[in-house]
């Protein structure tokens, strides 16, 4: 299957700082990138959907000014958690989708804000 | 809000046992149903994508069925092995949307 590379795998940052997470589709063009978050013992929750070259669509309750998503090319999307706080500590995972096909996941990023 | 439910939440079986889990989803405006296997510290791996009512898919010892009219899918594992231990996620796509709505997963542990 297609490969999505997500970095970093885990990150610890101080409260108030910003963290950038990258997802690259290595062998296909991801026309759509989905960003999910998973809190302990909960399901994957969609945060936002981004299509290459356009603004991301955020799910209800997700602050677009806090979670900045950039999808400038068909192979790269980034999620920046701005002014991170301990409650933002979570598992973040992206998945890239080609037109009307299944989605391929990155490895996920474990974020801990201290 | 789309509601995708999986049961059971967790399951322990002995090596060699066969098992199955359920995914239920909205029966209206169906587009596709996905099954993923998610092993610890790895990316979720796509198992099946099913689009037609009555679809049955098989990959080795794992198979899945789909009933879009009543809104459920079963995943079966025959002769479970310890390496089958993982969280199995189902995800639903409605209409022509490409976003996936996930269930909470079934965590399978196969005991040697």
């Amino acid at each position: 299957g297609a490969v999505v590379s997500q970095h970093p795998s885990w990150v610890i940052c101080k409260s108030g700082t910003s963290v950038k997470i990258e997802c690259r589709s290595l062998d296909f063009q991801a026309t759509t990138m989905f960003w999910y978050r998973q809190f302990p013992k909960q399901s994957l929750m969609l945060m936002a959907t981004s299509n290459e070259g356009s603004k991301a669509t955020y799910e209800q309750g997700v602050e677009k000014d806090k979670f900045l998503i950039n999808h400038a090319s068909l192979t790269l999307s980034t999620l920046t958690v701005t002014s991170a706080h301990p409650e933002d500590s979570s598992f973040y995972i992206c998945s890239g989708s080609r037109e009307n096909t299944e989605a391929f996941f990155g490895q996920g990023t474990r974020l801990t804000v201290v | 809000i789309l509601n995708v439910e999986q049961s059971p939440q967790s399951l322990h079986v002995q090596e060699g046992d066969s098992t199955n889990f359920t995914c239920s989803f909205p029966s209206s405006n169906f587009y596709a149903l996905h099954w993923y296997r998610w092993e610890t510290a790895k990316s979720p791996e796509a198992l099946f994508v099913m689009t037609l009512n009555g679809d049955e898919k098989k990959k080795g010892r794992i198979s899945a069925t789909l009933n879009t009219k009543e809104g459920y899918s079963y995943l079966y594992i025959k002769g479970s092995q310890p390496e089958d231990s993982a969280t199995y996620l189902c995800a639903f796509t409605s209409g022509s949307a490409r976003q996936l709505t996930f269930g909470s997963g079934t965590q399978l542990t196969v005991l040697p």
Side-chain angles (χ1 to χ4, degrees):
Chain A
V3 177
V4 174
S5 177
Q6 182 173 346
H7 294 281
S9 299
W10 59 273
V11 58
I12 301 173
C13 70
K14 287 186 178 180
S15 185
T17 61
S18 295
V19 174
K20 181 185 279 189
I21 302 169
E22 284 192 356
C23 275
R24 293 182 183 272
S25 54
L26 299 185
D27 50 3
F28 72 103
Q29 293 183 326
T31 51
T32 304
M33 195 71 83
F34 304 102
W35 287 93
Y36 296 88
R37 178 169 55 183
Q38 185 184 38
F39 292 107
K41 298 188 179 180
Q42 295 184 26
S43 60
L44 286 172
M45 296 298 292
L46 181 65
M47 297 176 67
T49 302
S50 71
N51 292 297
E52 181 264 338
S54 58
K55 290 184 179 180
T57 301
Y58 290 80
E59 296 299 299
Q60 194 172 11
V62 179
E63 299 175 57
K64 63 180 181 180
D65 294 329
K66 181 171 182 62
F67 298 99
L68 302 178
I69 289 173
N70 185 287
H71 192 172
S73 77
L74 287 170
T75 58
L76 174 64
S77 178
T78 61
L79 167 67
T80 302
V81 183
T82 62
S83 187
H85 288 94
E87 58 265 31
D88 299 323
S89 299
S90 187
F91 181 79
Y92 294 85
I93 192 167
C94 65
S95 71
S97 173
R98 294 175 287 203
E99 290 287 335
N100 292 325
T101 66
E102 66 198 276
F104 301 94
F105 283 86
Q107 299 91 332
T109 298
R110 175 74 58 193
L111 171 63
T112 301
V113 185
V114 298
Chain B
I1 297 175
L2 298 174
N3 204 19
V4 179
E5 295 182 355
Q6 290 187 247
S7 63
Q9 193 170 39
S10 65
L11 188 59
H12 289 69
V13 301
Q14 289 295 138
E15 183 175 355
D17 286 351
S18 294
T19 187
N20 66 84
F21 352 112
T22 306
C23 173
S24 62
F25 52 86
S27 55
S28 60
N29 204 22
F30 176 86
Y31 183 74
L33 192 284
H34 307 248
W35 280 101
Y36 288 87
R37 174 170 58 203
W38 195 2
E39 296 179 67
T40 303
K42 295 184 179 180
S43 306
E45 172 199 358
L47 290 174
F48 305 114
V49 181
M50 295 185 287
T51 56
L52 298 176
N53 184 44
D55 253 358
E56 289 189 32
K57 298 253 176 148
K58 187 175 180 182
K59 184 186 287 189
R61 295 178 291 100
I62 304 177
S63 60
T65 60
L66 178 67
N67 183 321
T68 61
K69 294 184 178 179
E70 295 181 40
Y72 66 84
S73 175
Y74 293 134
L75 186 79
Y76 301 90
I77 301 179
K78 185 177 178 183
S80 303
Q81 299 296 309
E83 57 265 29
D84 296 328
S85 297
T87 297
Y88 290 82
L89 296 167
C90 71
F92 167 79
T93 306
S94 67
S96 59
R98 284 166 288 174
Q99 67 183 57
L100 284 72
T101 300
F102 283 87
S104 54
T106 293
Q107 188 172 10
L108 173 68
T109 304
V110 182
L111 304 169

